[in-house]
């Protein structure tokens, strides 16, 4: 238990000597790679200088220990050593060119019998060709590496000619495979980084889209809540003003209804804005309106002065409509009655029909308003909000005048929709 606790506190890894040493080595390698990325040419010059010094030290006398012909002039050996090491400075920018120059020096070295150890530095350009160039470039590298090996093996064969060629070719092949492995690893890491970047961009886009959708939802809710309640308050205020002179009791009733409606609107608005507070972990939400609240909605509309009748056909489905679907029907009826209060005139009346069929639910709101007041009904945010709500549930919404006068809003919504939509 103690060991598991210590591992948990240390991020899931033991803090032993090996882990600490690995961490320091990784940190050092990260710094070296960062310096190399920022200053590639000084780093190349330093690496090249080290190999030049090593080759020149070998050129003094050490090369004679392995050379078939140790009588070659020191000046030739020095020139070959420099030719085999100085091109390393360009091994990353021009690896094929560097290998070609070094292969020429290796050909002279093997043909003359010097067999300089610096010839093995051709492994470095081969690694960078495998790392930086297309795979076919390795064929050109092989064409450059073979002539010196074959020439030295044929002229100075210690036994069988392939004893020098085959092991050296295996060394070149292993270095090429190492370069390909490092290249694949770098490409994989770059792909992961690019994928992480794209996922971050997509996440930011999703956040922005979610914020835009939330703003749209809030605007729609505020329009439905405030628009309806203000229309009811306006109707009550107009009726109370006319009733004040003849029937003070009716005026008092109108004022009471105005107060009740105002408080309900304020409570709905506070509930809506409460979900936006950042200092609350979970905003307290009152239940959203459902079809069971239609009677209360119609009562408020009647108090505002619009006679309205509710008709119901069929039985509610089992299981019942989802809360989001019920809210959609409720808001459509609310918006239609609000428009009737605004535009239908003082003598209009309305009828709300709610019909349940085996495959769909229908809601229809008709009124007997005058035709002249119909023009503004197709404009504004109310109709757009209704269509957006209905579209979420694959329903249809039609609005238009009636042949005998008046206006109708017809909603059709399937009982089983392919999408599950949470209530807004």
């Amino acid at each position: 238990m103690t060991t598991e606790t210590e591992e948990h506190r240390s991020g899931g890894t033991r803090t032993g000597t090996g882990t600490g040493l690995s961490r320091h080595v990784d940190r050092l390698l990260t710094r070296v790679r960062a310096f190399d990325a920022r200053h590639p040419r000084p780093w190349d010059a330093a690496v090249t200088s080290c190999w030049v010094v090593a080759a020149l030290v070998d050129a003094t006398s050490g090369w004679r220990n392995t050379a078939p012909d140790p009588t070659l002039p020191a000046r030739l050996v020095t020139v070959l050593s420099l030719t085999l090491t100085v091109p390393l400075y360009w091994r990353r920018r021009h690896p094929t060119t560097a290998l070609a120059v070094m292969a020429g020096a290796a050909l002279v070295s093997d043909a003359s019998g010097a067999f300089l150890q610096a010839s093995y530095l051709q492994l470095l350009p081969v690694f960078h060709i495998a790392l930086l160039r297309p795979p076919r470039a390795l064929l050109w590298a092989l064409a450059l590496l073979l002539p010196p090996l074959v020439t030295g093996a044929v002229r100075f064969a210690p036994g069988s000619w392939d004893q020098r060629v085959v092991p050296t070719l295996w060394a070149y092949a292993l270095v090429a495979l190492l370069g390909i492995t490092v290249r694949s690893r770098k490409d994989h890491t770059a792909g992961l980084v690019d994928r992480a970047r794209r996922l971050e961009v997509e996440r930011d886009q999703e956040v922005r889209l979610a914020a835009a959708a939330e703003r749209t939802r809030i605007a729609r809710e505020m329009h439905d809540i405030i628009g309806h309640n203000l229309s009811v308050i306006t109707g009550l205020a107009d009726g109370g003003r006319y009733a004040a002179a003849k029937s003070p009791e009716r005026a008092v009733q109108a004022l009471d209804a105005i107060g009740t409606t105002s408080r309900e609107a304020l409570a709905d608005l506070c509930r809506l804005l409460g979900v936006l507070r950042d200092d609350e972990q979970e905003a307290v939400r009152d239940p959203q309106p459902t079809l069971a609240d239609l009677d209360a909605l119609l009562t408020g509309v009647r108090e505002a002065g619009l006679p309205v009748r509710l008709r119901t056909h069929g039985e509610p489905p089992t299981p019942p409509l989802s809360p989001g679907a019920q809210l959609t029907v409720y808001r459509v009826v609310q918006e239609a009655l609000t428009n009737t209060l605004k535009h239908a005139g003082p003598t209009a009346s309305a009828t709300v029909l709610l019909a349940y069929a085996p495959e769909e639910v229908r809601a229809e709101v008709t009124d007997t308003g005058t035709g002249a007041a119909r023009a503004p009904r197709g404009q504004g945010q109310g109709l757009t909000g209704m269509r957006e709500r209905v579209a979420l549930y694959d329903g249809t919404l039609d609005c238009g005048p009636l042949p005998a006068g008046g206006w109708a809003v017809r909603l059709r919504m399937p009982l089983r929709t392919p999408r599950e939509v949470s209530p807004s």
Side-chain angles (χ1 to χ4, degrees):
M1 180 64 69
T2 303
T3 303
E4 294 177 358
T5 305
E6 291 176 353
E7 290 181 9
H8 177 73
R9 291 177 179 174
S10 62
T13 58
R14 298 178 183 267
T15 57
T17 305
T19 302
L21 179 60
S22 301
R23 195 161 49 239
H24 289 302
V25 171
D26 184 66
R27 199 172 299 167
L28 177 61
L29 292 176
T30 301
R31 292 179 180 176
V32 171
R33 285 193 292 265
F35 177 82
D36 184 26
R38 293 193 304 267
H39 310 286
R41 297 197 177 187
W43 179 257
D44 289 341
V47 172
T48 303
S49 300
C50 292
W51 288 115
V52 168
V53 171
L56 292 178
V57 170
D58 182 66
T60 56
S61 61
W63 66 276
R64 291 185 175 90
N65 297 326
T66 58
D69 186 3
T71 63
L72 293 174
R75 183 176 299 178
L76 175 62
V77 174
T78 301
V79 172
L80 291 176
S81 298
L82 291 174
T83 309
L84 286 169
T85 53
V86 172
L88 293 176
Y89 179 75
W90 295 276
R91 72 190 186 281
R92 291 195 288 187
R93 283 166 286 168
H94 307 287
T96 306
T97 303
L99 179 62
V101 175
M102 297 173 69
L107 179 61
V108 176
S109 173
D110 287 9
S112 63
F115 280 23
L116 295 178
Q117 301 297 312
S119 297
Y120 289 106
L121 292 177
Q122 295 175 98
L123 293 170
L124 296 178
V126 170
F127 172 81
H128 287 286
I129 289 174
L131 180 65
L132 303 174
R133 295 292 182 263
R136 64 176 179 273
L138 290 173
L139 298 177
W140 291 102
L142 179 63
L144 293 172
L145 294 171
L146 276 178
L149 295 175
V150 174
T151 301
V154 170
R155 291 200 59 189
F156 304 97
S160 176
W161 69 272
D162 60 345
Q163 290 181 3
R164 175 170 171 79
V165 176
V166 175
T168 306
L169 286 180
W170 270 113
Y172 289 139
L174 292 176
V175 170
L177 288 175
L178 178 62
I180 293 173
T181 302
V182 174
R183 178 176 185 167
S184 300
R185 180 67 178 175
K186 291 178 64 176
D187 292 343
H188 178 67
T189 303
L192 292 178
V193 171
D194 180 68
R195 180 182 179 186
R197 182 188 59 80
R198 287 188 285 106
L199 288 176
E200 185 176 357
V201 172
E202 292 176 2
R203 182 196 63 188
D204 294 340
Q205 291 177 345
E206 289 177 358
V207 170
R208 288 194 293 269
L209 290 174
E214 183 68 9
R215 287 195 297 268
T216 302
R217 184 188 71 83
I218 293 172
R220 188 190 305 131
E221 287 290 317
M222 293 184 68
H223 174 274
D224 292 341
I225 293 171
I226 298 177
H228 172 74
N229 286 286
L230 286 180
S231 298
V232 173
I233 291 173
T234 300
L236 291 171
D238 291 341
R241 183 182 61 183
Y242 291 115
K246 298 181 180 179
S247 178
E249 295 81 5
R250 295 294 300 275
V252 171
Q253 293 177 0
L255 292 175
D256 290 340
I258 289 174
T260 301
T261 304
S262 301
R263 284 188 291 272
E264 291 177 355
L266 181 60
D268 289 340
L269 186 60
C270 290
R271 174 188 58 79
L272 183 63
L273 298 180
V275 300
L276 303 179
R277 295 175 184 171
D278 295 333
D279 57 344
E280 294 185 5
Q281 295 295 329
E282 294 184 1
V284 178
R285 300 187 182 186
D286 293 335
Q288 294 279 18
T290 63
L291 295 181
D293 299 308
L294 279 180
D295 289 336
L297 174 66
L298 300 184
T299 299
V301 172
R302 294 187 187 101
E303 292 177 353
L306 175 65
V308 57
R309 182 179 56 172
L310 174 64
R311 296 166 51 198
T312 303
H313 290 169
E315 295 295 331
T318 302
L321 288 172
S322 66
Q326 295 191 48
L327 176 64
T328 298
V329 177
Y330 180 92
R331 292 301 188 199
V332 168
V333 174
Q334 183 186 53
E335 178 65 22
L337 294 176
T338 300
N339 287 338
T340 299
L341 281 171
K342 291 179 180 179
H343 307 295
T347 61
S349 61
T351 300
V352 177
L353 171 64
L354 190 61
Y356 298 101
E359 299 295 333
E360 66 179 9
V361 59
R362 292 188 296 111
E364 181 176 307
V365 181
T366 58
D367 61 56
T368 59
T370 58
R374 302 294 101 176
R377 298 285 293 278
Q379 309 297 328
Q381 189 176 358
L383 180 59
T384 302
M386 285 194 292
R387 293 192 186 281
E388 289 176 351
R389 287 182 183 276
V390 174
L392 288 176
Y393 293 89
D394 295 334
T396 59
L397 183 71
D398 296 320
C399 305
L402 295 172
W407 195 264
V409 176
R410 299 181 179 89
L411 163 69
R412 291 177 178 269
M413 183 184 300
L415 294 179
R416 301 293 181 264
T417 61
R419 291 175 290 179
E420 290 292 335
V421 184
S422 59
S424 299

